[in-house]
Amino acid sequence: MVNIQSIQTIQINGTEIRLESLAQASLILIAAITIVFSNIIYLASYLNYKGPMEVINYYYLSLSVADLICGMFVVPLSVYPALIGEWVYGDYVCRMMGFLAVTLWSIQIYTFMWISVDRYLAVRKPLRYETVQTKTRCQCWMAFTWISAGMLCCPPLLGYSTPLFDEQAYICQLDWGNMAAYSVTLTILVFGPSFISIVYNYTYIFSMVRKIRSGEQIHDKEYATALAETLSNPNHLLSFVLVFMFAISWSPFISVRIYELMTGVHIGNSFLQFGLVWFGIFNSFWKIIVMMMFSPNFRLALKIFCLTICCKTRGRLQAEMVGLDDD
């Protein structure tokens, strides 16, 4: 039974809960549901798709798996603490949550780096791209990324750092302050090569796009034809938008943290701190919207997945698939 006690608090089964906390917990629950549902749809669509698939899609699948793990094992643990304002699952779970969050974040940054490298190779070597970027090589890079990210982020998990519960954002994080040298090293290892690669690779790609559009002559006709065809691939724009959205989502949080670190002043506005963290986490949901807008291949896979669920006979499904491919 719910009794309204005041404008700012309600009582649920004898527990007094602030309306602000209820709203924040509801938002976190919505985030968990949307992140899990959207990434299950994405993964199921591509796993169901039997047509030819570009190598870069394996990087997208890696991003989706990371988002799904975040939505299943990180986000839901913040719902109840947001209601009551304290962590109730113990230090070990808090430590695991902090480790998992930073590991998944590192995996995504590294994956964006490999995506930019993939797009660079497609433009730099359009005639040899399919021999340079193979399915097996891509899968090996993804396995290396997941393993290396887990190993780089594991020292705090082994007891070298105490877990901290953020009472404003309702998430657990590891105390990186007492391991300053390690924290700086990890930041350099994750951000350094990734930032340099992403900036350089996309600068090169867009410079080649500008060169083609300006009508600049390329003496090797075969290379020019292959390059023009490669640059028409929507994955160039799609991958850049994904990187841009990730940067937009997390830049406010990173900027505030850098400001607090440099000035020594903690911004105590709870709404701001909550919004910064969860605006970044919602990036795990925005990806599927970007995919639907910029990826014809994903739209086709999604349509086929929907037909697979709705259609009762395989013959009808195959007929619909042919019709979709012709479109």
Side-chain angles (χ1 to χ4, degrees):
M1 181 177 180
V2 179
N3 296 319
I4 305 257
Q5 278 193 329
S6 67
I7 297 178
Q8 298 183 346
T9 62
I10 62 173
Q11 238 186 26
I12 302 178
N13 295 329
T15 303
E16 188 175 286
I17 297 175
R18 295 183 305 159
L19 291 177
E20 174 190 334
S21 299
L22 181 61
Q24 291 174 330
S26 300
L27 183 62
I28 296 172
L29 180 61
I30 291 172
I33 293 172
T34 55
I35 290 172
V36 171
F37 180 76
S38 62
N39 284 284
I40 286 178
I41 292 296
Y42 181 83
L43 291 171
S45 297
Y46 270 123
L47 292 176
N48 176 71
Y49 182 62
K50 304 304 180 184
M53 188 166 66
E54 294 184 59
V55 171
I56 192 174
N57 286 318
Y58 292 101
Y59 294 117
Y60 296 153
L61 290 173
S62 176
L63 290 175
S64 186
V65 170
D67 289 333
L68 180 61
I69 293 174
C70 178
M72 293 179 64
F73 299 107
V74 177
V75 179
L77 291 178
S78 294
V79 176
Y80 187 63
L83 277 176
I84 64 175
E86 61 179 328
W87 183 256
V88 296
Y89 304 116
D91 287 346
Y92 180 76
V93 176
C94 188
R95 189 186 301 275
M96 285 295 299
M97 181 180 177
F99 162 75
L100 193 58
V102 72
T103 300
L104 294 174
W105 201 67
S106 300
I107 288 171
Q108 295 207 43
I109 293 177
Y110 278 139
T111 303
F112 283 128
M113 178 186 71
W114 293 123
I115 289 175
S116 73
V117 171
D118 177 270
R119 293 298 85 198
Y120 170 81
L121 291 174
V123 175
R124 184 71 176 81
K125 300 179 179 181
L127 297 172
R128 297 179 52 209
Y129 169 74
E130 293 184 357
T131 59
V132 174
Q133 284 290 86
T134 63
K135 173 183 174 181
T136 302
R137 184 169 297 176
C138 173
Q139 291 173 340
C140 288
W141 281 124
M142 285 298 91
F144 172 77
T145 295
W146 281 75
I147 294 172
S148 60
M151 294 179 65
L152 284 173
C153 300
C154 73
L157 186 65
L158 302 177
Y160 297 102
S161 175
T162 56
L164 297 174
F165 175 63
D166 189 335
E167 296 182 353
Q168 295 177 319
Y170 308 110
I171 61 169
C172 268
Q173 54 186 322
L174 301 176
D175 185 8
W176 301 93
N178 59 2
M179 297 188 305
Y182 168 77
S183 302
V184 172
T185 302
L186 179 63
T187 302
I188 293 174
L189 289 175
V190 173
F191 272 104
S194 302
F195 180 78
I196 294 172
S197 296
I198 290 171
V199 171
Y200 174 80
N201 291 333
Y202 282 108
T203 300
Y204 177 83
I205 291 170
F206 287 122
S207 68
M208 294 303 294
V209 171
R210 186 174 62 253
K211 183 181 294 186
I212 291 294
R213 289 181 176 177
S214 65
E216 184 174 333
Q217 293 296 322
I218 300 177
H219 298 292
D220 189 335
K221 298 299 182 182
E222 184 180 7
Y223 170 77
T225 302
L227 178 60
E229 182 179 351
T230 297
L231 290 176
S232 66
N233 190 321
N235 277 308
H236 295 301
L237 180 59
L238 169 62
S239 61
F240 177 77
V241 173
L242 287 174
V243 174
F244 181 76
M245 289 295 295
F246 183 84
I248 290 296
S249 297
W250 286 105
S251 290
F253 172 80
I254 295 174
S255 300
V256 169
R257 287 294 180 269
I258 292 175
Y259 170 80
E260 292 179 337
L261 181 64
M262 296 182 63
T263 62
V265 177
H266 175 69
I267 300 176
N269 189 310
S270 59
F271 288 103
L272 176 63
Q273 297 291 349
F274 179 87
L276 291 174
V277 171
W278 290 99
F279 181 70
I281 293 176
F282 257 107
N283 175 72
S284 297
F285 168 69
W286 306 139
K287 288 190 183 74
I288 193 171
I289 298 178
V290 174
M291 289 286 184
M292 293 180 68
M293 292 175 61
F294 294 94
S295 175
N297 186 259
F298 172 65
R299 291 196 295 270
L300 174 61
L302 181 60
K303 290 177 181 178
I304 294 174
F305 175 67
C306 293
L307 289 171
T308 304
I309 296 175
C310 298
C311 296
K312 296 182 179 180
T313 62
R314 183 173 296 274
R316 180 183 171 189
L317 173 60
Q318 293 296 331
E320 294 286 354
M321 288 174 62
V322 172
L324 287 171
D325 286 327
D326 291 340
D327 292 340

